[in-house]
Amino acid sequence: MLSPKSAETVRATLPAVSGAIGEITTLFYEKLFAARPELLRHLFNRGNQANGSQQQALAGAVATFARHLIEHPDRRPDAMLTRIAHKHASLGVRPEQYPVVREHLFAAIAEVLGDTVNDEVVRAWDEVYWLMAHALIAVEKRLLDEAGVPDGEVWRPYRVAARIEETAEVATFLLRPADGGPVPSSRPGQYVSVRVQLPDGARQIRQYSLSGQPDGGLQISVKRVAGGRRPGVPSEDPAGEVSGHLHAHVHGGETLHVSPPFGDVVLGDDGEGPLLLASAGIGCTPMMAMLAHLAATGSRRRIIAAHADRSPATHPFRTDLHRLTGKLSDATAELWYEDQLPHEDGLRRGGGLPGGEEGVGRRTGDVEEMAEVADVAEVAADPVTVRSGMMDLERIAVPAGTTAYLCGPVPFMKAVRAQLLASGVPASRIHYEVFGPDLGL
């Protein structure tokens, strides 16, 4: 894909660029936002800019793409490009924004690397940039066409039809199109972007996984993000601007601007092999959508739903997890809680989990009541294994041929992925979704 001369130059300069990429991207964003401050207010996630994770993601993407061009000149890194393109499409990124990024990125490269950046180096890395940019633009156009928004106008007003408190930190919002039109199609595991106007006038955007597929609407579940240090990011997180706004100000009847569903980590329609859905914390949202779809379609696959949380009280959709696994013919739930449980570790029991009465009679996962006595009895009969501590998949039998889907904090997914690889699950069968910039596993 790269011309021979450019490939030679990129190969020679890749170590220098990679070694300075963190400094380059930090300076790039400073230059970009100084010239175009509206991009920070209305497109980029201010929280990810504050904690440095967006810079890490851009650095990783550029370096990975360049290295791939050198090591595998006959094929593109389509998986990486597709993941980025889904994010861009959901944000409404436009082709005319790519030259703006190129201008400030190359200015940062020249400033950081100095005399190393001669005309030959600029031409070579310009080729890398536009190969990546044009590939992304093409994929993004296809995704927008498939979503029914070929003009790139992804924002559509939705009315908040209901709000349900799942836990003290997590609320579910049922959204219905304000124009009365049809709900866009989605696949289990996808997400939507939600744009809100904050008190300072900024229109900030966040992606939220669809946590269910209710008739006539979209369903998202949002955890209120507290500020502080988080594993896997270079600096302290500010408190979540958008999640805080939704929790404090959106109670029902308000209008939110929402994109069509996007996302490449989706439950496949084919295959009858075993499935493992492993999540931690709010990472359970796409897994619940997958589990609901499997139950609705009467899947007979062997399914293991594994979830880790701080305690039963902080575990969203706990009752729904029991209900849905109970509907499936060959599904089990494996739960780990960090807080020490007052029961025997590893005990297999029904819905009577520690604090289990808290979820009975509450709606947790769609917007329909499930307080019928028969439903509660059914939930209580569902087998589930509860353990104290961190998730350890070595304690359960992962069947041969398992396909795994992971979602949760990056350190959690790294640990679970390592456990799965050690148990013999091929890397090609392990899929993961990251909430925020993808820093890789």
Side-chain angles (χ1 to χ4, degrees), residues 320-336:
D320 278 358
L321 178 61
H322 305 155
R323 176 174 59 86
L324 292 170
T325 52
K327 285 186 174 181
L328 289 157
S329 61
D330 192 10
T332 55
E334 308 286 343
L335 306 180
W336 280 263

Side-chain angles (χ1 to χ4, degrees), residues 13 75 116 147 261 373:
T13 55
R75 53 189 173 90
T116 305
V373 173

Side-chain angles (χ1 to χ4, degrees), residues 39 62 91 113 137 145 158 175 181 187 207 267 279-280 308 327-329 334 349 377 381 400 419 427:
L39 294 178
V62 172
L91 293 167
L113 297 184
I137 290 169
D145 288 345
Y158 280 73
L175 313 174
R187 299 180 66 185
Q207 283 99 21
L267 186 65
S279 60
K327 285 186 174 181
L328 289 157
S329 61
E334 308 286 343
R349 56 172 66 86
Q419 293 169 17

Side-chain angles (χ1 to χ4, degrees), residues 88-94 140-156 158 184 258-262:
H88 284 184
S90 78
L91 293 167
V93 170
R94 295 180 174 275
E140 289 155 19
K141 182 181 185 305
R142 174 178 60 80
L143 293 174
L144 293 168
D145 288 345
E146 292 173 353
V149 286
D151 58 358
E153 292 293 336
V154 299
W155 303 113
R156 182 182 180 189
Y158 280 73
V258 181
S259 77
F262 291 100

Side-chain angles (χ1 to χ4, degrees), residues 45-57:
N45 182 321
R46 295 193 294 198
N48 290 337
Q49 289 297 321
N51 66 27
S53 57
Q54 182 64 57
Q55 288 90 324
Q56 283 187 312

Side-chain angles (χ1 to χ4, degrees), residues 264-303:
D264 63 315
V265 182
V266 296
L267 186 65
D269 294 327
D270 55 345
E272 294 297 325
L275 286 173
L276 170 69
L277 310 178
S279 60
I282 195 61
C284 65
T285 49
M287 305 307 174
M288 292 306 301
M290 293 182 185
L291 199 60
H293 174 79
L294 291 164
T297 56
S299 175
R300 303 189 67 81
R301 302 172 74 170
R302 171 74 179 107
I303 301 165

Side-chain angles (χ1 to χ4, degrees), residues 5 8 12 32 56 88 148 158 192 206 280 284 294 311 341 373:
K5 182 61 176 174
E8 180 183 338
L32 177 67
Q56 283 187 312
H88 284 184
Y158 280 73
V192 294
R206 300 293 185 271
C284 65
L294 291 164
S311 72
L341 298 175
V373 173

Side-chain angles (χ1 to χ4, degrees), residues 4 66 89 135 142 160-162 194-195 206 212 233 241 282 300 306 384 401 420 433:
R142 174 178 60 80
V160 180
V194 176
R195 187 179 71 184
R206 300 293 185 271
V233 296
E241 288 189 290
I282 195 61
R300 303 189 67 81
V384 58
L420 290 172
E433 181 64 271

